[in-house]
Amino acid sequence: MTDSAETGPGFSLDLGEDLREIRDWTHAFARDVIRPAAAEWDEREETPWPILQEAAKIGLYSLDMWAQQWLEPSGVGVPVIIEELYWGDPGIGLALTGTLLAAVSVASNGTQEQLFEWVPQMFGTPDDVKLGAFCSSEPDAGSDVAAIRTRAVYDEATDEWVLNGTKTWATNGGIADVHVVVASVDPELGSRGQASFVIPPGTPGLSQGQKFSKHGIRASHTAEVVLDGVRVPGRCLLGGKERLDERLARAREGRRSGGQAAMRTFEKSRPSVGAMAVGCARAAFEYARDYAGQRHQFGRPIGENQAVAFTLADMATRIDAARLLVWRAAWMARNDKEFAQAEGSMSKLFASETATWVTQQAVRLLGGNGYTREYPVERWHRDATIFTIFEGASEIQRLIIGRAVTGLPVR
């Protein structure tokens, strides 16, 4: 990736000195700390707490660092950092960034007071690292968020909400200190009758269900979250009850209700997921490129063969295109530009499909070596698969884009 590419007055893709410094700082951590430990934590299938603690001590896992990058004017600060972390290793990268989805949910759906109260508790301190978890998917409600069955009922006598249900595929689920849960408050309204709730640390009734043994991103904890009579104060409803009542009233009258809680979170996070995929794809491309220069067959480097060189050329081109789509969507989000053509979904779709294709080509270019766990491209190929699945599968992204570009209710 070049540092600067300028075309004409007033337009620049230059990261600027500050962003270049934080990119290089993150890259050094990914190179020196994450990569050497990646294979071990993939095998262990455990949260890499020592790496989280080391990241917290240098300020890489901290609310201050991420908040600073969310406010960075160009909008690309977060994607730049995420790309480097996932270049290091997607599994450990997700362990380091999984909390962000819960934080984004509070920022997207909550009040400023709720933001200041709950998000710091998701990160903790360098001496006491904390985690956050966003819980939306259910056994029968993944892409179909309208099918969410977890129920939240308001108890007027105590000003508490009572939650019951089971969430699944939750990153940090059950081990997080703060959970953000999407629940139905009015099932008759479908997705428009949902709201998000913060479950504070130590709340009775919340427990971890099944922990999943996964194909990839194995250093990141994924599990079910069971809610059995969980009671939370009224202040834990993101956005507050007055705003919720107004939104429900509009929905019952058939008017626009202001969007669904889970979807507002996913819309904000799609460029970041695209950046994850770009980092994984770049890692595989760079490894395959270097291998092609060193591996000799028939008396010459395999990179001299057109078939190999052309494949590497396509890999590099797709990665650059994916990055530019991610940066555009991130810039639009930062500057409150409407995703009129579903630009956020475009970035997530293209980057995730690029990661699966690039990592597959890397495995093929390494031949038999690429199929063994002695070489990291095998792990990156397993990891890349998730990007086409979580936070909106590729089919869902195509559906969203199709509706945007046609103006029709594509089903």
Side-chain angles (χ1 to χ4, degrees), residues 207-245:
S207 62
Q208 178 185 307
Q210 178 187 0
K211 178 188 175 184
F212 296 103
S213 181
K214 305 187 298 295
H215 177 63
I217 56 167
R218 289 148 58 100
S220 172
H221 175 97
T222 309
E224 290 181 330
V225 174
V226 180
L227 302 120
D228 183 9
V230 171
R231 301 184 73 94
V232 296
R235 64 186 175 85
C236 290
L237 166 65
L238 291 181
K241 193 168 187 304
E242 182 177 348
R243 186 192 299 179
L244 173 64
D245 289 341

Side-chain angles (χ1 to χ4, degrees), residues 62-79:
S62 71
L63 174 58
D64 288 344
M65 192 279 295
W66 287 111
Q68 182 181 0
Q69 295 312 308
W70 279 115
L71 298 174
E72 195 276 325
S74 74
V76 303
V78 170

Side-chain angles (χ1 to χ4, degrees), residues 149-224:
R149 294 291 176 264
T150 295
R151 189 74 196 278
V153 177
Y154 184 60
D155 184 345
E156 292 187 15
T158 60
D159 184 29
E160 292 179 319
W161 289 88
V162 184
L163 285 81
N164 287 281
T166 299
K167 294 296 182 178
T168 193
W169 310 120
T171 299
N172 298 333
I175 65 170
D177 299 274
V178 178
H179 291 74
V180 178
V181 175
V182 179
S184 174
V185 295
D186 189 337
E188 294 183 1
L189 294 176
S191 63
R192 295 178 299 167
Q194 295 170 2
S196 293
F197 298 84
V198 171
I199 313 299
T203 299
L206 184 147
S207 62
Q208 178 185 307
Q210 178 187 0
K211 178 188 175 184
F212 296 103
S213 181
K214 305 187 298 295
H215 177 63
I217 56 167
R218 289 148 58 100
S220 172
H221 175 97
T222 309
E224 290 181 330

Side-chain angles (χ1 to χ4, degrees), residues 27-38 41 50-51 54-55 58 92:
H27 181 80
F29 183 85
R31 180 193 64 220
D32 300 336
V33 179
I34 293 177
R35 278 212 171 173
W41 290 100
I51 295 177
E54 192 162 349
I58 66 170
I92 295 177

Side-chain angles (χ1 to χ4, degrees), residues 150-410:
T150 295
R151 189 74 196 278
V153 177
Y154 184 60
D155 184 345
E156 292 187 15
T158 60
D159 184 29
E160 292 179 319
W161 289 88
V162 184
L163 285 81
N164 287 281
T166 299
K167 294 296 182 178
T168 193
W169 310 120
T171 299
N172 298 333
I175 65 170
D177 299 274
V178 178
H179 291 74
V180 178
V181 175
V182 179
S184 174
V185 295
D186 189 337
E188 294 183 1
L189 294 176
S191 63
R192 295 178 299 167
Q194 295 170 2
S196 293
F197 298 84
V198 171
I199 313 299
T203 299
L206 184 147
S207 62
Q208 178 185 307
Q210 178 187 0
K211 178 188 175 184
F212 296 103
S213 181
K214 305 187 298 295
H215 177 63
I217 56 167
R218 289 148 58 100
S220 172
H221 175 97
T222 309
E224 290 181 330
V225 174
V226 180
L227 302 120
D228 183 9
V230 171
R231 301 184 73 94
V232 296
R235 64 186 175 85
C236 290
L237 166 65
L238 291 181
K241 193 168 187 304
E242 182 177 348
R243 186 192 299 179
L244 173 64
D245 289 341
E246 292 174 356
R247 180 162 61 82
L248 294 177
R250 289 196 300 270
R252 293 183 185 112
E253 294 169 3
R255 294 183 289 151
R256 291 178 63 91
S257 59
Q260 193 275 334
M263 295 313 297
R264 282 197 297 271
T265 301
F266 293 141
E267 286 169 7
K268 294 282 188 180
S269 67
R270 280 176 187 139
S272 295
V273 178
M276 298 173 188
V278 171
C280 180
R282 189 182 118 216
F285 160 72
E286 290 177 358
Y287 198 96
R289 177 201 61 199
D290 295 346
Y291 184 90
Q294 299 163 4
R295 173 73 167 172
H296 284 66
Q297 290 286 282
F298 305 104
R300 63 181 182 180
I302 64 172
E304 291 186 13
N305 297 316
Q306 276 193 2
V308 174
F310 284 7
T311 299
L312 289 169
D314 287 342
M315 293 163 76
T317 300
R318 293 193 189 190
I319 291 168
D320 244 20
R323 181 183 296 112
L324 289 172
L325 281 171
V326 167
W327 283 13
R328 179 185 68 169
W331 173 82
M332 292 178 69
R334 176 65 182 87
N335 291 280
D336 296 322
K337 304 290 184 182
E338 181 186 1
F339 287 160
Q341 298 293 300
E343 289 87 351
S345 288
M346 287 182 180
S347 69
K348 199 269 187 187
L349 170 66
F350 190 80
S352 60
E353 299 275 323
T354 292
T356 57
W357 183 83
V358 166
T359 55
Q360 182 183 45
Q361 300 313 306
V363 169
R364 294 180 64 191
L365 288 176
L366 267 68
N369 287 333
Y371 202 64
T372 71
R373 295 198 175 184
E374 298 299 316
Y375 290 79
V377 294
E378 177 272 341
R379 186 176 67 252
W380 294 327
H381 183 42
R382 286 189 286 109
D383 291 340
T385 304
I386 193 61
F387 302 124
T388 63
I389 298 173
F390 73 176
E391 296 192 43
S394 289
E395 292 76 15
I396 295 299
Q397 305 308 324
R398 288 187 171 95
L399 186 67
I400 294 169
I401 297 166
R403 288 171 177 169
V405 300
T406 64
L408 299 172
V410 179

